[in-house]
Amino acid sequence: MQDERKGDIVTEQAEGAEERPARRRGRRPADEVRADVFRVVGEVLMTEGIADLTFERVARLSGVSKTTLYKWWPSKGALALDGYFHAVEETLAFEDTGDLRADLLSQLRAFVRVMTRTPAGRVVTELIGQSQTDEDLATAFRSLYSSERRRLAGERLLRAKEQGQLRDDVDVRVLVDQLWGAVYHRMLIPDEPVTDDFVTALVSNLVEGITPRPEPPAQRNS
């Protein structure tokens, strides 16, 4: 059974983050510097949201200069999106057990838990909203977050097609939109709740319509 905790993002509380002094070291590897930035951005986003995220604050808490931050991220939105992606990346990984229906249910349930039971849902809706007026954020959202999420889901569905679990004429890109797009729609236009019953219905309705059709029985000669 999948560990129920997998769908929950575990983040450190940022209340004490302001008291942590910025680290003063010699030149550090770029990967280490980025990891510190991602950690700080993730903490701020998951506890306070994007409104309180600034380059100055991230620089102070991570020990990374503002010059470096501006060199790597052209806007606050792009910085927030990168930190958000790394905060949820492991939690939203797509398993492949060989059972397409089970894997779709498992991933969508993990996704819904993150979006509805942690601050991540609020953060991503804020990012989507800001991306409408922040071109750098919109570009980063497509290239880093949405494209990557679509790629992972598409690869799993393509493997299912290769194994004969999907018809050859099925467009997996459309399937991704039908499943995850439906969840985003309910998040952004909350006329109806995003529940486990909703996820189960999504997968059931889709799978019953895309699995290979049984061969008709052979006609007997009279």
Side-chain angles (χ1 to χ4, degrees), residues 15-104:
E15 282 79 358
E18 301 290 356
E19 301 175 1
R20 290 200 299 268
R23 286 183 282 182
R24 304 297 181 185
R25 304 182 184 176
R27 192 174 186 84
R28 292 187 284 155
D31 288 346
E32 181 182 328
V33 174
R34 285 180 180 272
D36 281 346
V37 173
F38 294 148
R39 172 186 54 77
V40 168
V41 173
E43 288 176 0
V44 173
L45 288 176
M46 296 305 169
T47 56
E48 302 174 43
I50 195 172
D52 293 317
L53 185 74
T54 64
F55 278 91
E56 291 77 8
R57 189 177 183 190
V58 173
R60 183 173 67 255
L61 296 178
S62 66
V64 178
S65 70
K66 286 197 295 181
T67 301
T68 297
L69 295 178
Y70 281 114
K71 177 181 176 181
W72 288 341
W73 294 281
S75 70
K76 183 180 84 167
L79 173 62
L81 190 281
D82 217 347
Y84 174 83
F85 175 78
H86 285 83
V88 301
E89 182 178 16
E90 183 177 353
T91 305
L92 298 182
F94 210 123
E95 292 186 324
D96 184 354
T97 67
D99 184 333
L100 177 61
R101 183 190 183 93
D103 290 346
L104 288 175

Side-chain angles (χ1 to χ4, degrees), residues 11-197:
T11 59
E12 299 177 4
Q13 293 298 314
E15 282 79 358
E18 301 290 356
E19 301 175 1
R20 290 200 299 268
R23 286 183 282 182
R24 304 297 181 185
R25 304 182 184 176
R27 192 174 186 84
R28 292 187 284 155
D31 288 346
E32 181 182 328
V33 174
R34 285 180 180 272
D36 281 346
V37 173
F38 294 148
R39 172 186 54 77
V40 168
V41 173
E43 288 176 0
V44 173
L45 288 176
M46 296 305 169
T47 56
E48 302 174 43
I50 195 172
D52 293 317
L53 185 74
T54 64
F55 278 91
E56 291 77 8
R57 189 177 183 190
V58 173
R60 183 173 67 255
L61 296 178
S62 66
V64 178
S65 70
K66 286 197 295 181
T67 301
T68 297
L69 295 178
Y70 281 114
K71 177 181 176 181
W72 288 341
W73 294 281
S75 70
K76 183 180 84 167
L79 173 62
L81 190 281
D82 217 347
Y84 174 83
F85 175 78
H86 285 83
V88 301
E89 182 178 16
E90 183 177 353
T91 305
L92 298 182
F94 210 123
E95 292 186 324
D96 184 354
T97 67
D99 184 333
L100 177 61
R101 183 190 183 93
D103 290 346
L104 288 175
L105 282 171
S106 176
Q107 209 290 326
L108 279 166
R109 283 169 173 160
F111 177 65
V112 168
R113 281 197 298 271
V114 170
M115 292 298 109
T116 61
R117 300 182 188 178
T118 78
R122 170 178 49 81
V123 172
V124 78
T125 56
E126 290 176 348
L127 290 170
I128 291 173
Q130 291 205 9
S131 70
Q132 308 307 304
T133 56
D134 184 338
E135 185 176 347
D136 292 320
L137 173 57
T139 299
F141 196 95
R142 289 190 298 269
S143 63
L144 176 61
Y145 182 75
S146 60
S147 293
E148 180 66 9
R149 300 295 308 146
R150 290 174 66 87
R151 181 187 66 80
L152 292 172
E155 287 178 352
R156 177 65 187 91
L157 291 167
L158 283 173
R159 287 194 296 273
K161 181 184 286 191
E162 292 169 356
Q163 295 164 0
Q165 298 183 55
L166 299 179
R167 297 198 316 266
D168 290 338
D169 62 332
V170 168
D171 188 333
V172 299
R173 296 170 300 179
V174 175
L175 296 186
V176 172
D177 290 334
Q178 287 178 280
L179 290 169
W180 285 268
V183 177
Y184 276 118
H185 182 270
R186 284 204 175 189
M187 286 174 53
L188 294 171
I189 307 176
D191 294 333
E192 296 288 342
V194 183
T195 63
D196 188 71
D197 287 342

